[in-house]
């Protein structure tokens, strides 16, 4: 199918494209609300983070480091490193985000893994798909986080239910699509090894940041 | 300002700039080709580190406890194509059950 044959995509096409995916972000958002509560976030802080950062795994990473008693710098670095991929993704859609500088700054905030992947499905990136999918996911993400803070407040000890293992499973599920590629699998294994070695000898959060150096395997030919 | 709010603010601002990097700052110029594979590996690397600390991390030591069977069961489910939500439920149930019995 060529671009000429298909009608131009509209915002509503983007919303529709994202509909089959909504369960994941909703559950993920509720989980973040619960987890943030356990990590010492107020409900307002958790919802504000979802509204301003809008990047699930990085939000979990920051909360996870704080939860483990890590330093501010380690929590920030873990989240920022995890979001570094957005710089690369944003470059791929640089030419499709419309408007002046301010509108482009705001519009580019709708970039998340899912909206990015959906918008490029046709072989070239389409702004209405990215914007429609991004808007739907944004509304769901922020509101489900709010719901999660309410649920989290009701739980006595979320870890007793095995929620700590559930978050490990979540990170694993997010990592899995990358691991089909050999280089990514090697880098991930190296990162896990660095984390294990440093955990007993360094403050919480530091092993995660140090493990990010495993991505330098990408420099190897 | 509490630590939590500082993290919320700083991570938020960094993320705005990362997401806007292409559209606002780069325009049509591309990331240095040499750096692209490095950036591409950041996500799997960070996620692997998070899986590790979330599974084995404790008070400054590596611990093997009820989380491991839960995460292992989830890994098997993910490998067999289970959706994310199912993997999380499996991990929570197995770990919760092991704790209950242990």
């Amino acid at each position: 199918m060529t671009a000429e044959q298909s009608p131009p995509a509209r915002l509503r096409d983007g919303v529709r494209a994202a509909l089959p995916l909504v369960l994941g972000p909703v559950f993920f958002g509720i989980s973040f609300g619960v987890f943030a509560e356990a990590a010492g976030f107020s409900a307002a802080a958790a919802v504000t983070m979802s509204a301003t950062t809008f990047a699930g795994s990085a939000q979990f990473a920051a909360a996870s480091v704080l939860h483990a008693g890590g330093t501010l710098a380690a929590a920030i670095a873990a989240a920022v490193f995890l979001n570094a991929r957005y710089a690369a993704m944003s470059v791929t859609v640089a030419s499709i985000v419309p408007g002046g500088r301010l509108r482009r700054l705001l519009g580019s905030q709708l970039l998340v893994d899912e909206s990015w992947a959906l918008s490029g499905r046709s072989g070239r990136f389409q702004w209405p798909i990215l914007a429609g999918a991004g808007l739907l996911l944004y509304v769901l993400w922020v509101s489900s986080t709010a719901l999660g803070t309410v649920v989290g407040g009701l739980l006595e000890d979320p870890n007793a239910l095995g929620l700590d293992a559930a978050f490990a499973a979540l990170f694993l599920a997010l990592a899995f699509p990358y691991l089909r590629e050999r280089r990514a699998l090697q880098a991930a294994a190296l990162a896990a090894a660095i984390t294990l070695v440093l955990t007993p000898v360094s403050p919480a959060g530091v092993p995660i940041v140090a493990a990010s150096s495993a991505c330098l395997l990408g420099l190897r030919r | 300002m509490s630590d939590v709010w500082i993290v919320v603010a700083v991570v938020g601002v960094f993320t705005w700039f990362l997401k806007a990097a292409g559209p606002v700052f780069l325009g049509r110029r591309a990331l240095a080709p040499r750096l692209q594979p490095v950036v591409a590996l950041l996500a799997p690397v960070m996620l692997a580190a998070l899986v590790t600390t979330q599974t084995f991390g404790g008070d400054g030591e590596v611990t093997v406890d009820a989380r491991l069977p839960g995460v292992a069961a989830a890994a098997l489910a993910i490998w067999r194509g289970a959706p994310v939500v199912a993997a999380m439920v499996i991990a929570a149930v197995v770990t919760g059950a092991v704790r209950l019995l242990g």
Side-chain angles (χ1 to χ4, degrees):
Chain A
M1 192 173 75
T2 64
E4 286 78 31
Q5 284 164 338
S6 57
R10 281 175 299 188
L11 211 59
R12 115 162 66 110
D13 297 323
V15 174
R16 202 172 296 145
L19 277 179
L21 307 176
V22 299
L23 212 60
V26 166
F27 190 77
F28 198 22
I30 294 174
S31 311
F32 176 68
V34 172
F35 188 66
E37 190 89 28
F41 283 55
S42 63
V47 175
T48 303
M49 190 175 208
S50 282
T52 53
T53 295
F54 188 34
S57 45
Q59 293 178 224
F60 265 104
S64 170
V65 172
L66 289 180
H67 188 41
T71 62
L72 260 178
I76 290 167
V80 170
F81 285 170
L82 204 51
N83 273 348
R85 71 183 184 284
Y86 281 121
M89 283 158 62
S90 83
V91 169
T92 65
V93 299
S95 58
I96 64 162
V97 184
R101 221 157 233 256
L102 184 64
R103 250 200 91 195
R104 286 157 78 83
L105 175 64
L106 292 176
S108 58
Q109 300 312 313
L110 296 174
L111 186 68
V112 278
D113 296 326
E114 294 92 339
S115 66
W116 179 77
L118 288 171
S119 69
R121 238 179 1 179
S122 69
R124 68 187 174 99
F125 287 97
Q126 302 187 73
W127 168 247
I129 303 284
L130 196 160
L135 279 172
L136 176 67
L137 294 165
Y138 183 81
V139 171
L140 290 173
W141 178 242
V142 176
S143 51
S144 58
T145 301
L147 182 61
T149 60
V150 176
V151 176
L154 301 175
L155 295 174
E156 284 279 320
D157 177 15
N159 282 349
L161 301 170
L163 272 185
D164 45 358
F167 294 117
L170 169 68
F171 292 135
L172 192 60
L174 292 174
F176 189 71
Y178 295 99
L179 303 183
R180 272 173 242 216
E181 207 200 326
R182 199 182 150 79
R183 176 75 61 89
L185 188 62
Q186 290 168 343
L190 178 60
I194 293 172
T195 309
L196 280 179
V197 169
L198 290 183
T199 294
V201 295
S202 61
V206 172
I208 294 181
V209 176
S212 67
S213 63
C215 74
L216 293 176
L217 279 183
L219 288 174
R220 228 179 40 182
R221 308 228 166 232
Chain B
M1 199 156 72
S2 73
D3 280 6
V4 165
W5 279 105
I6 294 172
V7 168
V8 169
V10 177
V11 171
V13 170
F14 264 110
T15 307
W16 289 344
F17 281 109
L18 288 168
K19 287 188 178 183
V24 175
F25 304 110
L26 272 186
R28 285 164 193 276
R29 276 175 296 159
L31 200 65
R34 193 109 171 91
L35 284 182
Q36 275 168 10
V38 175
V39 173
L41 286 179
L42 264 174
V45 157
M46 296 304 294
L47 290 167
L50 284 167
V51 171
T52 310
T53 49
Q54 197 67 30
T55 307
F56 299 104
D59 288 325
E61 55 182 4
V62 174
T63 35
V64 174
D65 57 24
R67 291 171 293 179
L68 186 58
V71 176
L76 187 65
I78 294 164
W79 183 59
R80 299 297 298 268
V84 178
V85 177
M88 290 180 73
V89 171
I90 289 169
V93 168
V94 172
T95 296
V98 172
R99 276 187 187 138
L100 209 63
L101 299 171

